[in-house]
Amino acid sequence: MSDDAPDIRQQNFRALLRSLPVWDTELPHFDPASAPADPLPLFQQWLTEAAAAGAPEPHTMTLATADATGRPSLRTLMLHDADEHGWHFATHRTSRKGRELAVRPEAALGFYWAALGRQVRIQGMVTAAGAAESRADLAKRSTGALAAALVGRQSEVLASYEELERASDAAWERARREPDAPVGSWTLYVLEAQEVEFFQGDAQRRHVRLNYRRRPPAEGGWTTELLWP
Ligand SMILES: Cc1cc2nc3c(=O)[nH]c(=O)nc-3n(C[C@H](O)[C@H](O)[C@H](O)COP(=O)(O)O)c2cc1C
C-alpha cells in the first residue's frame, strides 16, 4: 500500500458522505395543531405508520444512559411495549446500561424512521420491574432471545470468540429444552416519559418539532411547545 493510501481513503470517505442523500422521498406533512393532548397515541401512530411505510425494524431504538460521573453511553434496543406506564425494554441488569441505570435511573430514547423523515426523542425516569414481570417478558420472546439471555455476562470482556460459541451452543440447547428457563439478571425496565419530542423532517428544512412536557403531578397532563429546528 502506498504512503498516500490513507489520504485517498479519507477523500473517498468524505466524497461518499457528501454524496449520500437524505430524505430523498416525499415526506408527510405534520400539523401540530392536530396532535393529541397526550404523546402516547401519537407515538403509537408514528411507529405504526413507520412500519406501514416499510421502515426497517421500526421498533428498534437508541437508549442513552449515563454513569455516576455523567459520562454518557448509548446502544440499540428493542421496544417491548409503550403504554400508560411508559416505554418498555429489557436487558441484563448486570450489563453496563443496567449498572448505569442502577446508579442513575434516568435515560433517553431515540427513534429515527428515515422512510418518513421522523424522529422521536423521549426522556424520563426508569424503573426496573420485579422478577415475575421480567420473567413474563422473556417468556413471550423467541427461543433465540432466550438463548441470548441465557448466555449472560453481557458487557463483560470476552477472552475469545470460541468461548462465546461454546456458551451460546449450551444456551441454545437449554433454551430449546427448557423454554421457560430462568435468567436471573434479565430485567424489564419502564421509562416514564417527562418529555417527548416529535420531529417531522421537511424538504425545505422547515422541520416541525413538537415537544411535550409532563405537567407536575398535581396538575396532570402535558404542555406542548414548538421548537426551532
Ligand atoms: C437491533 C438491535 C436490537 C437489540 N436489542 C437488544 C435488547 O432488546 N436488549 C439488549 O440487552 N440488547 C440488545 N441489543 C444489543 C445492545 O445494542 C448492546 O450491544 C447490549 O445490550 C450491551 O449494551 P451495554 O454494554 O451498553 O449494556 C440489540 C442490538 C441491536 C443492533
Side-chain angles (χ1 to χ4, degrees):
M1 207 184 265
S2 71
D3 284 349
D4 63 359
D7 281 349
I8 291 168
R9 191 182 63 233
Q10 189 64 49
Q11 280 169 27
N12 289 343
F13 181 68
R14 288 187 184 134
L16 171 70
L17 287 179
R18 282 192 298 271
S19 72
L20 293 171
V22 67
W23 302 334
D24 207 4
T25 172
E26 186 90 5
L27 295 176
H29 176 68
F30 172 48
D31 176 9
S34 68
D38 188 300
L40 179 65
L42 186 55
F43 174 81
Q44 291 173 336
Q45 180 192 330
W46 276 27
L47 194 149
T48 304
E49 288 172 358
E57 301 174 1
H59 58 323
T60 59
M61 60 192 183
T62 304
L63 166 73
T65 53
D67 69 13
T69 67
R71 184 178 300 147
S73 65
L74 55 79
R75 73 289 291 157
T76 310
L77 291 190
M78 316 289 293
L79 176 70
H80 287 201
D81 199 3
D83 63 12
E84 69 279 15
H85 303 295
W87 277 255
H88 303 224
F89 56 90
T91 190
H92 293 279
R93 69 167 174 279
T94 45
S95 66
R96 175 175 178 171
K97 69 185 106 39
R99 284 182 269 119
E100 292 184 352
L101 288 170
V103 294
R104 191 186 270 265
E106 62 186 307
L109 298 174
F111 292 83
Y112 175 50
W113 300 303
L116 295 171
R118 285 175 172 173
Q119 157 179 265
V120 177
R121 176 172 64 184
I122 304 161
Q123 176 272 323
M125 301 302 290
V126 178
T127 309
E133 251 185 290
S134 298
R135 242 181 117 150
D137 177 78
L138 188 54
K140 284 185 225 134
R141 306 194 61 222
S142 63
T143 306
L146 174 60
L150 281 167
V151 167
R153 302 184 65 176
Q154 190 178 57
S155 315
E156 286 181 28
V157 173
L158 172 66
S160 74
Y161 192 73
E162 289 69 33
E163 199 181 333
L164 170 61
E165 284 179 321
R166 281 194 297 276
S168 172
D169 283 346
W172 271 95
E173 198 273 317
R174 182 159 176 221
R176 289 195 188 96
R177 182 167 37 84
E178 203 185 332
D180 54 359
V183 182
S185 58
W186 191 256
T187 306
L188 178 68
Y189 291 91
V190 181
L191 184 152
E192 188 191 30
Q194 283 301 319
E195 272 192 71
V196 186
E197 185 208 317
F198 295 84
F199 174 111
Q200 172 64 68
D202 174 78
Q204 293 183 71
R205 305 301 195 259
R206 298 175 197 168
H207 315 307
V208 178
R209 298 181 65 192
L210 176 65
N211 195 41
Y212 287 77
R213 282 190 289 126
R214 192 186 285 279
R215 289 205 188 94
E219 294 171 35
W222 298 81
T223 55
T224 56
E225 62 208 352
L226 295 176
L227 300 175
W228 283 84

